[in-house]
Amino acid sequence: MKKNVLLFVGLLLLASTMSVYSQEIIAHRGYWKIEGSAQNSIDALMKADSIRAYGSEVDIWLSSDGVPIVNHDADVTLDGEKLIVQDTPFATLRKVKLANGEPLPTVEEYLDAFAQCTHTKLIIEFKTHRSKERENMLAEKVVNMVNERGLQNRVEYISFGLHFVQQVKKLAPEAPVYYLNGDLTPRVLSTMGIDGIDYHFNVLFKRPEWVKESHELNQKVNVWTVNRPEDIQKVIDLKVDFITTDEPLLAREILDNQ
Ligand code: MG
């Protein structure tokens, strides 16, 4: 009897914790806004895990010789020279150092580090490339790398590219895939089998009805990149499911005060 009471109290506690975090936080490019870290670094991924963010976002490209690498911008600067990532071989890209001294990571290295994480999911953003062939190659390589490591239940995918989200959904039908570009209704995305919208907060402020529409279609709503306290409060009030932010601790504090 006593055991049952304890179990009941435990379940109640668990349910209350879960309701607090029914809106989740995603650390944009990892948790990097601290001394010694850098955007899209392996360090930022591990720090997002250490603060128990729901997710840690990362941007990826394909080098000219077919190596999936981690970087946000379409170009990198090496010895004062600007290089277009998709036109540059990996050996050259590898010489680029992040702000914290880490070499620019490969997706393989990033996934190996991620395999050690205990809490966070990895939200992989496919940057749009010049050709569909290159995008297909990147999507296939990365989905295979994720599967080889048995990480498929811990990875979600996002992209501004409609071709990318459709292609990834084909390759990894079980993985959540969200569209970033802000121009399609939840209904249209639902007919394509995409799992939800991940739009800039200004899009949702203009079209708050898209949150309700998404939920009626059983889709999720993510929003980027929400850093100011007043905007974080507004997207919480809109009842989005995920908040992508450079300020994960601030966002959590505001969420906890609801
Ligand atoms: Mg991104």
Side-chain angles (χ1 to χ4, degrees):
M1 183 65 188
K2 214 173 182 183
K3 247 187 190 169
N4 284 343
V5 171
L6 277 176
L7 183 67
F8 181 65
V9 171
L11 284 173
L12 271 184
L13 279 173
L14 184 67
S16 68
T17 319
M18 283 165 75
S19 69
V20 169
Y21 291 106
S22 62
Q23 290 178 299
E24 305 280 2
I25 291 159
I26 295 171
H28 182 236
R29 306 179 196 170
Y31 180 37
W32 54 271
K33 260 195 165 181
I34 29 175
E35 185 85 33
S37 197
Q39 296 185 9
N40 281 323
S41 63
I42 287 174
D43 176 79
L45 165 66
M46 302 319 278
K47 285 198 164 76
D49 190 52
S50 74
I51 61 165
R52 300 181 174 220
Y54 167 87
S56 184
E57 189 253 5
V58 64
D59 306 287
I60 68 163
W61 289 91
L62 191 68
S63 72
S64 66
D65 51 347
V67 180
I69 62 102
V70 172
N71 196 60
H72 177 267
D73 291 352
D75 51 57
V76 290
T77 304
L78 183 65
D79 301 328
E81 194 191 343
K82 264 199 171 175
L83 304 169
I84 306 291
V85 171
Q86 55 185 315
D87 296 336
T88 306
F90 171 64
T92 309
L93 293 170
R94 186 58 160 183
K95 293 177 189 158
V96 174
K97 292 270 187 287
L98 307 185
N100 66 344
E102 272 181 43
L104 186 136
T106 64
V107 172
E108 281 206 298
E109 288 166 340
Y110 218 80
L111 288 174
D112 286 342
F114 173 61
Q116 308 303 313
C117 291
T118 50
H119 290 90
T120 194
K121 289 182 188 275
L122 189 61
I123 318 297
I124 298 180
E125 179 181 347
F126 288 100
K127 304 308 280 189
T128 47
H129 287 57
R130 206 173 291 123
S131 75
K132 285 183 181 168
E133 289 68 32
R134 303 292 290 173
E135 295 190 344
N136 290 349
M137 194 190 290
L138 179 57
E140 201 177 317
K141 284 190 177 198
V142 169
V143 169
N144 284 342
M145 286 174 186
V146 168
N147 290 346
E148 279 161 15
R149 288 165 178 77
L151 298 170
Q152 51 272 55
N153 295 328
R154 296 168 53 196
V155 174
E156 303 182 4
Y157 300 100
I158 58 177
S159 185
F160 282 92
L162 197 54
H163 175 73
F164 248 137
V165 290
Q166 289 176 299
Q167 184 64 12
V168 174
K169 198 67 206 173
K170 264 188 230 158
L171 294 168
E174 74 292 341
V177 180
Y178 304 102
Y179 178 63
L180 294 165
N181 205 38
D183 57 333
L184 296 177
T185 66
R187 198 165 299 280
V188 166
L189 288 169
S190 164
T191 62
M192 295 174 176
I194 305 306
D195 300 278
I197 57 174
D198 183 355
Y199 287 172
H200 188 272
F201 59 87
N202 277 334
V203 174
L204 292 187
F205 291 166
K206 268 185 220 141
R207 303 216 174 253
E209 70 278 10
W210 281 0
V211 179
K212 198 166 168 240
E213 186 180 320
S214 298
H215 291 157
E216 282 168 1
L217 292 161
N218 266 333
Q219 293 197 308
K220 299 279 190 191
V221 179
N222 190 349
V223 60
W224 53 272
T225 301
V226 199
N227 294 333
R228 292 187 308 177
E230 59 270 34
D231 292 329
I232 292 170
Q233 184 61 56
K234 275 167 86 174
V235 299
I236 290 171
D237 293 342
L238 274 176
K239 300 194 164 52
V240 302
D241 301 285
F242 306 105
I243 301 168
T244 301
T245 178
D246 294 316
E247 303 284 358
L249 293 184
L250 171 69
R252 165 146 329 135
E253 194 186 320
I254 297 172
L255 256 184
D256 285 351
N257 286 333
Q258 301 304 302

